Amino acid sequence: MNGSGGRLRRAALGLAPDEPDQVPRLQRYRAAHPDVIIGAGGFGTWQARIPAENGETVAVRYRLCELLDRLDELTGDQADD
């Protein structure tokens, strides 16, 4: 693993300490969808913004696995956890 990948993984793990198994899934999703912005939202939530031609779609969930499941639904990907 290169240095920057390790730092990104540790940063994501810091945001999802209760879901360490979801960090690789988050990294795969980000690699496959670089235009989707995913991060910590307010009040202990995870938030994603999916750009669209006429605006954007925003998804918010309390657990990272739930957000990734929702993003898979919205972008037509298959869940892989």
Side-chain angles (χ1 to χ4, degrees), residues 48-59:
R49 187 177 73 196
I50 305 169
E53 188 174 312
N54 297 326
E56 62 189 18
T57 299
V58 176

Side-chain angles (χ1 to χ4, degrees), residues 1-14 23 27:
M1 176 184 309
N2 67 29
S4 68
R7 282 192 301 273
L8 290 173
R9 178 169 279 200
R10 283 190 299 277
L13 185 56
V23 173
Q27 291 177 321

Side-chain angles (χ1 to χ4, degrees), residues 13-72:
L13 185 56
L15 292 172
D18 296 335
E19 298 180 273
D21 59 317
Q22 295 301 307
V23 173
R25 184 177 173 202
L26 172 61
Q27 291 177 321
R28 287 190 302 272
Y29 190 89
R30 283 180 167 161
H33 303 278
D35 56 330
V36 176
I37 299 171
I38 303 170
F43 304 103
T45 62
W46 280 89
Q47 180 174 318
R49 187 177 73 196
I50 305 169
E53 188 174 312
N54 297 326
E56 62 189 18
T57 299
V58 176
V60 180
R61 297 292 186 272
Y62 282 102
R63 296 183 56 223
L64 179 56
C65 65
E66 293 170 349
L67 179 67
L68 292 170
D69 288 347
R70 181 63 178 143
L71 290 174
D72 286 343

